[in-house]
């Protein structure tokens, strides 16, 4: 079958790109003709207008680092993702996917209400990831996330209308299942992130493509948010810490290398945790909010079945990091669990 994937493949984020690549490659292995529908609104482009409108000049150093990172990620997309021509408007997707048998929305937080309301700038919403455009084929949501635990009332009916046109829906988090069920939709399942569909060797090969080398022992600290605050709080003189892109390389390959060869990892990234599980690296997750609230549910959904929620640490309890990292992990049980998750995903995608 000819399958198109709609996801945040364009985000300046390692996990977003890897989950898109993993889903593409898994479906190809199943014999399908697969491509990434290259939809990206103009308001997410790196332009002077957006630079000013989003006040990026107030954090110029962060902007320059992100721009450098995007250059590397852009190369990865061109090399590995089979993308259609680009469209910037949800309305134009329909013509682009004529002749497709199946469209898959997901994974990642593609169904977040913020994008539905403002995805194409200002008050211009976008139903692209709800597949809210003319399409005669089969609509599937795979391991989608809402990025919230309660869907906003003002957009609830709109989201429900679009989701009811899907033939199959799976979500990434348990709270997502509750949201979809509350919309009157039955037969909703929880499925693993696409990165969990692919074996260890898939990511190991990418990590080995990094040409650099770190010869010392280190703990890798990777944070998507609040890194300045985390640096001020994580002051461990007994460990050699490498932060984010300290080596000067922002590529996907270097990121995977740093996780694979670390003694341990401290992070706030869901996909970084997934890679730690695959590479057998002890880790701690630092959360901004306390408990299973907000976006924390993705960690709880992933780690609860293997009794590893003790590795989810609220930011005000960082004194427990060493205790957690020194706790042994039964990696055989982890591998069995990851294999079980993969089978769940495979069963859902067996259409």
């Amino acid at each position: 079958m000819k399958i198109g994937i709609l996801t945040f493949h364009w985000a300046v984020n390692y996990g977003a790109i890897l989950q898109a690549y993993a889903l593409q490659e898994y479906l190809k292995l199943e014999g399908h003709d697969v491509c990434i529908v290259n939809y990206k609104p103009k308001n997410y482009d790196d332009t002077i207008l957006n630079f000013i409108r989003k006040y990026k000049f107030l954090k110029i150093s962060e902007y320059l680092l992100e721009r450098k990172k995007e250059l590397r990620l852009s190369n990865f997309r061109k090399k590995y993702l089979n993308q259609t021509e680009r469209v910037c408007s949800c309305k134009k997707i329909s013509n682009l996917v004529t002749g497709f048998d199946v469209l898959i929305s997901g994974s990642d937080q593609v169904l977040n209400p913020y994008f539905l309301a403002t995805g194409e700038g200002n008050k211009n919403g976008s139903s692209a990831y709800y597949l809210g455009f003319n399409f005669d084929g089969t609509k599937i949501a795979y391991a989608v996330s809402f990025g919230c635990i309660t869907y906003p009332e003002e957009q609830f009916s709109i989201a429900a209308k679009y989701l009811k046109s899907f033939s199959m829906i799976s979500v990434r988090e348990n709270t997502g299942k509750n949201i979809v069920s509350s919309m009157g939709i039955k037969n909703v399942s929880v499925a693993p992130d696409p990165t969990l569909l692919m074996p260890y060797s898939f990511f190991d090969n990418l990590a080995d493509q990094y040409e650099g080398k770190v010869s010392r022992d280190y703990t890798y600290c990777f944070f998507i948010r609040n890194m300045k605050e985390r640096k001020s709080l994580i002051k461990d003189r007994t460990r050699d810490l490498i932060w984010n892109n300290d080596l000067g390389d922002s590529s996907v390959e270097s990121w995977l290398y740093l996780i694979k060869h670390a003694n341990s990892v401290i992070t706030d990234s869901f996909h970084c945790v997934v890679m730690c599980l695959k590479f057998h690296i002890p880790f701690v997750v630092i959360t901004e909010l306390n408990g299973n609230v907000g976006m924390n549910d993705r960690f709880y959904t992933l780690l609860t079945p293997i009794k590893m929620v003790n590795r989810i640490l609220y930011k005000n309890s960082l004194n427990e990091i060493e205790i957690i990292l020194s706790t042994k992990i039964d990696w055989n049980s982890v591998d069995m669990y990851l294999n079980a998750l993969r089978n769940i995903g495979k069963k859902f995608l067996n259409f």
Side-chain angles (χ1 to χ4, degrees):
M1 288 189 285
K2 188 171 184 179
I3 301 176
I5 300 170
L6 271 148
T7 188
F8 287 150
H9 68 287
W10 46 267
V12 188
N13 181 288
Y14 298 120
I17 293 177
L18 281 174
Q19 61 85 21
Y21 181 40
L23 183 56
Q24 171 190 281
E25 293 305 291
Y26 174 78
L27 293 170
K28 284 170 63 178
L29 288 172
E30 292 297 299
H32 300 294
D33 179 10
V34 189
C35 67
I36 306 294
V37 178
N38 193 11
Y39 163 73
K40 178 185 177 183
K42 289 183 178 179
N43 51 300
Y44 288 94
D45 284 345
D46 181 21
T47 63
I48 294 177
L49 179 61
N50 288 331
F51 178 80
I52 297 172
R53 185 163 51 191
K54 297 181 180 181
Y55 302 101
K56 292 187 177 183
F57 52 84
L58 296 178
K59 296 181 178 180
I60 191 66
S61 60
E62 291 181 15
Y63 165 74
L64 293 174
L65 286 173
E66 182 173 283
R67 188 173 184 181
K68 180 180 179 181
K69 181 177 177 180
E70 170 55 22
L71 288 173
R72 299 307 304 269
L73 300 191
S74 177
N75 291 334
F76 187 91
R77 293 188 199 96
K78 291 175 182 177
K79 183 177 180 179
Y80 292 108
L81 299 186
N82 180 27
Q83 302 176 79
T84 65
E85 65 178 271
R86 181 184 171 184
V87 290
C88 304
S89 168
C90 176
K91 296 177 181 179
K92 295 184 178 180
I93 298 177
S94 185
N95 290 335
L96 195 64
V97 297
T98 300
F100 282 61
D101 300 298
V102 176
L103 285 182
I104 297 178
S105 176
S107 178
D108 221 342
Q109 297 175 31
V110 292
L111 300 190
N112 76 78
Y114 178 80
F115 195 90
L116 179 63
T118 64
E120 293 186 6
N122 296 324
K123 296 182 180 180
N124 298 316
S126 173
S127 60
Y129 298 107
Y130 286 82
L131 308 186
F133 45 83
N134 292 328
F135 178 64
D136 295 328
T138 301
K139 297 180 181 180
I140 295 174
Y142 182 74
V144 292
S145 176
F146 293 90
C148 60
I149 58 175
T150 303
Y151 207 86
E153 184 177 348
E154 59 269 22
Q155 293 159 291
F156 187 90
S157 60
I158 299 172
K161 179 188 72 172
Y162 288 129
L163 287 177
K164 286 176 181 178
S165 69
F166 281 66
S167 298
M168 300 167 60
I169 298 177
S170 65
V171 295
R172 195 177 67 182
E173 292 92 25
N174 292 323
T175 50
K177 184 175 182 179
N178 296 335
I179 290 174
V180 178
S181 297
S182 71
M183 294 176 177
I185 302 171
K186 299 179 180 180
N187 300 320
V188 182
S189 59
V190 178
D193 185 88
T195 53
L196 293 162
L197 293 172
M198 300 303 288
Y200 165 89
S201 58
F202 181 79
F203 302 100
D204 187 50
N205 290 336
L206 286 172
D208 287 348
Q209 290 180 34
Y210 175 59
E211 296 179 354
K213 185 177 181 181
V214 180
S215 57
R216 65 187 188 276
D217 291 339
Y218 63 91
T219 291
Y220 184 41
C221 299
F222 179 76
F223 287 90
I224 296 176
R225 302 171 185 85
N226 308 307
M227 192 170 75
K228 185 176 181 179
E229 178 187 353
R230 299 298 181 260
K231 276 190 172 184
S232 68
L233 294 174
I234 302 173
K235 297 177 180 178
D236 190 340
R237 296 181 181 179
T238 66
R239 293 178 180 272
D240 185 355
L241 305 179
I242 295 179
W243 290 84
N244 282 34
N245 304 120
D246 273 357
L247 299 187
D249 190 328
S250 304
S251 67
V252 172
E253 294 84 353
S254 68
W255 183 68
L256 290 171
Y257 174 93
L258 286 171
I259 297 171
K260 176 186 173 182
H261 293 281
N263 286 354
S264 56
V265 168
I266 306 172
T267 188
D268 65 353
S269 162
F270 173 80
H271 287 103
C272 188
V273 171
V274 171
M275 294 305 134
C276 287
L277 293 175
K278 285 187 170 290
F279 290 135
H280 292 184
I281 306 299
F283 65 91
V284 172
V285 179
I286 308 300
T287 62
E288 183 68 16
L289 301 176
N290 192 15
N292 189 5
V293 296
M295 293 194 296
N296 291 354
D297 187 44
R298 52 189 175 164
F299 298 116
Y300 282 86
T301 298
L302 177 65
L303 299 176
T304 297
I306 43 175
K307 300 179 180 179
M308 295 178 76
V309 293
N310 65 308
R311 293 182 174 273
I312 304 172
L313 198 62
Y314 178 47
K315 67 177 182 179
N316 288 352
S317 304
L318 299 187
N319 58 310
E320 299 177 30
I321 287 178
E322 283 305 312
I323 297 174
I324 295 172
L325 289 180
S326 63
T327 304
K328 291 185 177 180
I329 297 174
D330 182 353
W331 292 114
N332 286 330
S333 295
V334 170
D335 289 341
M336 291 175 62
Y337 171 59
L338 295 184
N339 187 58
L341 286 180
R342 185 167 186 256
N343 287 334
I344 291 172
K346 289 175 65 176
K347 183 177 180 180
F348 181 86
L349 292 170
N350 185 25
F351 46 77

